[in-house]
Amino acid sequence: MTRRKQHRFLQNAESHNVIEVGKPLYKIIKGNWRSRYFNNNNPIVLELACGKGEYTVGLAQAYPAMNFIGVDIKGDRIARGSQAALELNLQNVAFLRTDINFLLEFFSAGEVNEIWITFPDPQPRPKQEKHRLTHPRFLDLYKTILVQEGTLHLKTDNPELFAYSLEVIGQNGFADLQYTTDLYQSALNAIHMNIKTKYEQLFFDKGFTINYLQCRRS
């Protein structure tokens, strides 16, 4: 492990806005995010596979009356988002270090209002299909923790993953689908508050279009 990673893991251990193995809230946070962490009854929004948490932090700044949780297994990435939120004194941000497969261990049924999936690994090979974050087995997890009519967002530069997602989402308990294959030329861009991840900016600067969809749990 590099010295830089060690430093970031130490930051996570010392940061109140990171919930991970070894911390008291880790085992009791399920169903208690509003009462034990945020101390309010505001809506909860997840960013899955959040990486450095650009969306988690950006949306938290734009919507102070909502609670935002970035979820990722990579502690060195989470540390960057955590520190950014602390520097901005954002009280409506948390980061959960866990595998997305284990969401039901940390969120009760209907505890979440929105889910964002931003630039996930497209898992392009057929044998990787079950690992795509819009695979039906993940959609079942999302349906469980989302409130009725809760919103699911997907943003990706990968046209194959996007086409796959459009196909399976409508077949697996989501409705009111809206989408675009060129987000920044679409009216749907207004809800994004001009937030871009590092890699999204690189893609955008190279002329790639961004695919986006939103739908609701039916």
Side-chain angles (χ1 to χ4, degrees), residues 126-162:
K127 68 179 182 180
Q128 296 176 310
E129 179 182 352
K130 67 180 181 180
H131 299 297
R132 296 170 189 163
L133 292 186
T134 51
H135 185 274
R137 73 186 184 93
F138 283 111
L139 295 177
D140 285 342
L141 294 181
Y142 310 155
K143 284 187 294 184
T144 299
I145 65 175
L146 278 170
V147 298
Q148 192 72 28
E149 301 294 321
T151 305
L152 175 66
H153 307 263
L154 171 68
K155 199 175 183 186
T156 178
D157 64 299
N158 187 279
E160 289 77 20
L161 174 64
F162 193 64

Side-chain angles (χ1 to χ4, degrees), residues 17-34:
N17 66 355
V18 176
I19 303 205
E20 60 181 0
V21 171
K23 292 190 175 183
L25 286 179
Y26 186 79
K27 291 186 176 180
I28 61 170
I29 198 63
K30 179 177 179 176
N32 297 305
W33 283 95
R34 292 179 176 88

Side-chain angles (χ1 to χ4, degrees), residues 39-208:
N39 299 311
N40 61 49
N41 289 314
N42 294 338
I44 290 176
V45 182
L46 306 187
E47 182 192 5
L48 300 182
C50 69
K52 300 173 187 176
E54 290 105 326
Y55 254 80
T56 300
V57 172
L59 288 171
Q61 288 179 278
Y63 299 101
M66 301 177 76
N67 301 319
F68 294 87
I69 305 168
V71 181
D72 206 297
I73 193 62
K74 300 287 188 180
D76 57 322
R77 295 177 184 172
I78 277 181
R80 302 186 196 190
S82 162
Q83 293 304 304
L86 292 173
E87 289 169 7
L88 292 166
N89 195 31
L90 294 174
Q91 304 300 310
N92 60 333
V93 173
F95 288 90
L96 172 65
R97 188 180 177 193
T98 190
D99 190 298
I100 293 168
N101 287 287
F102 304 137
L103 283 178
L104 296 186
E105 296 184 17
F106 299 97
F107 298 96
S108 293
E111 191 171 12
V112 174
N113 298 83
E114 292 186 38
I115 294 174
W116 285 81
I117 307 171
T118 53
F119 298 91
D121 185 336
Q123 307 286 356
R125 297 194 296 274
K127 68 179 182 180
Q128 296 176 310
E129 179 182 352
K130 67 180 181 180
H131 299 297
R132 296 170 189 163
L133 292 186
T134 51
H135 185 274
R137 73 186 184 93
F138 283 111
L139 295 177
D140 285 342
L141 294 181
Y142 310 155
K143 284 187 294 184
T144 299
I145 65 175
L146 278 170
V147 298
Q148 192 72 28
E149 301 294 321
T151 305
L152 175 66
H153 307 263
L154 171 68
K155 199 175 183 186
T156 178
D157 64 299
N158 187 279
E160 289 77 20
L161 174 64
F162 193 64
Y164 170 84
S165 301
L166 286 174
E167 180 179 353
V168 299
I169 280 174
Q171 301 169 358
N172 287 275
F174 288 87
D176 299 328
L177 177 65
Q178 300 180 64
Y179 69 93
T180 176
T181 57
D182 193 355
L183 177 61
Y184 294 108
Q185 298 300 317
S186 165
L188 293 172
N189 187 41
I191 69 169
H192 289 259
M193 309 301 292
N194 203 33
I195 301 167
K196 294 185 179 73
T197 68
K198 174 183 176 181
Y199 291 107
E200 178 181 0
Q201 188 66 58
L202 290 174
F203 295 136
F204 182 73
D205 290 345
K206 291 180 179 179
F208 289 93

